[in-house]
Amino acid sequence: MTTATVIPEAERGEVTQLRVIHSEWIKLRSLRSTLFTLLAAVVAMIGLGFLFSYFTADRWSHLPPEERLNFDPTLVSLRGFYLAQLAVGVLGVLVISGEYATGMIRASLSAVPRRLPMLWAKALVFAAVAWALMTIASLVAFLVGQAALSSHHLGTSLSAPGVLRAVLGAGLYLTVVGLVGVAFGALIRNTAGGIATVFGVLLVLPVLAEALPSSWFDAINKYLPSTAGQGLIHIHQEPHTLAPWTGFAVFCLYALVALAGAGVALKRRDA
């Protein structure tokens, strides 16, 4: 009788998706870059939300009538997501590109030779952590922002129409930004290249689209990843944009396509 037949299969270290997820969780929480980058995202979300709200309230009497008319207290308190998305996107890229840089990817793929379970585990673990932290940060940013705005009676509440959706939407948007980072990190396998691509897709494309004729811009801009995803954070739908949940679904589709491409590339390439 061989040793393999004596030892139960579960004790022989069978590779299961649950075990791969657990190993990816250990890797993610053991990296110092994870703590510092997520901390930067939380600080940006809460700190900028408070500062924007405080200074808006402080100079309210000096604001032009158009700004007062279009004032959205929820969006002002969540304004920190613009900077937070940079930190979350960077960490999403680092989650996998860092292993290529150190050579640790060879050990990871040796332990999980089918490869795709490793990619899905990385995406799932990172998405869960990003969603939890960014949703909490979004809620805190909203609360401290409204506290600052309430001094001039400009605040709103979570029970107001669309506010809860915007607050939770900020966490969802940042989570998908992180998944886009994971996908490009796996596709490009280079930290600098992955970060540049993520920022190009999220930040540069909308700027380039502004150079188009207005009729083209109105038709194209609403389908760009960041424009579509950020609609969830706006209380009132902006002109020439998709409905909030429709836009977010389009943004999620971009992330899924990128992850699918990363999966195909991971299966076809050597580590």
Side-chain angles (χ1 to χ4, degrees):
M1 183 178 293
T2 64
T3 304
T5 58
V6 173
I7 301 176
E9 192 174 275
E11 296 181 11
R12 293 204 303 267
E14 178 189 4
V15 177
T16 64
Q17 187 67 65
L18 195 60
R19 288 183 174 181
V20 177
I21 290 172
H22 183 254
S23 69
E24 291 301 331
W25 162 242
I26 293 174
K27 280 194 269 186
L28 183 65
R29 66 184 173 86
S30 64
L31 293 173
R32 283 186 295 179
S33 60
T34 301
L35 173 63
F36 294 138
T37 310
L38 288 177
L39 181 61
V42 170
V43 170
M45 193 74 189
I46 299 174
L48 289 180
F50 174 77
L51 289 176
F52 274 108
S53 301
Y54 175 82
F55 287 117
T56 298
D58 187 59
R59 63 189 184 92
W60 179 256
S61 59
H62 303 290
L63 290 179
E66 309 85 57
E67 283 193 47
R68 294 193 194 187
L69 185 62
N70 297 319
F71 175 67
D72 182 352
T74 303
L75 184 59
V76 169
S77 63
L78 298 177
R79 189 69 72 177
F81 85 87
Y82 283 110
L83 187 57
Q85 69 179 334
L86 304 185
V88 175
V90 166
L91 185 57
V93 173
L94 286 171
V95 161
I96 191 162
S97 68
E99 291 198 29
Y100 280 103
T102 61
M104 186 178 176
I105 192 66
R106 295 184 181 88
S108 297
L109 295 180
S110 296
V112 190
R114 286 189 297 160
R115 302 188 176 196
L116 288 184
M118 181 202 68
L119 178 61
W120 308 148
K122 283 183 180 294
L124 179 62
V125 169
F126 183 70
V129 171
W131 174 79
L133 285 179
M134 292 301 99
T135 300
I136 293 171
S138 175
L139 179 60
V140 174
F142 173 79
L143 294 176
V144 299
Q146 298 314 304
L149 291 169
S150 64
S151 61
H152 286 66
H153 307 288
L154 301 173
T156 185
S157 66
L158 285 172
S159 59
V163 171
L164 184 60
R165 182 255 296 161
V167 173
L168 298 180
L172 290 172
Y173 171 77
L174 292 171
T175 301
V176 180
V177 167
L179 289 176
V180 171
V182 173
F184 282 120
L187 274 169
I188 299 174
R189 302 192 294 178
N190 176 272
T191 300
I195 292 173
T197 304
V198 171
F199 291 169
V201 169
L202 296 178
L203 304 179
V204 178
L205 273 183
V207 176
L208 294 177
E210 291 179 3
L212 298 172
S214 59
S215 59
W216 291 18
F217 176 77
D218 292 339
I220 294 173
N221 182 58
K222 60 184 175 183
Y223 293 108
L224 295 181
S226 56
T227 305
Q230 290 173 17
L232 204 59
I233 308 173
H234 293 268
I235 299 296
H236 306 291
Q237 185 177 345
E238 298 292 314
H240 307 292
T241 59
L242 301 173
W245 289 109
T246 303
F248 183 67
V250 170
F251 188 39
C252 289
L253 183 60
Y254 279 114
L256 289 174
V257 170
L259 283 170
V264 171
L266 192 62
K267 287 283 287 183
R268 293 183 175 179
R269 293 187 304 206
D270 295 330

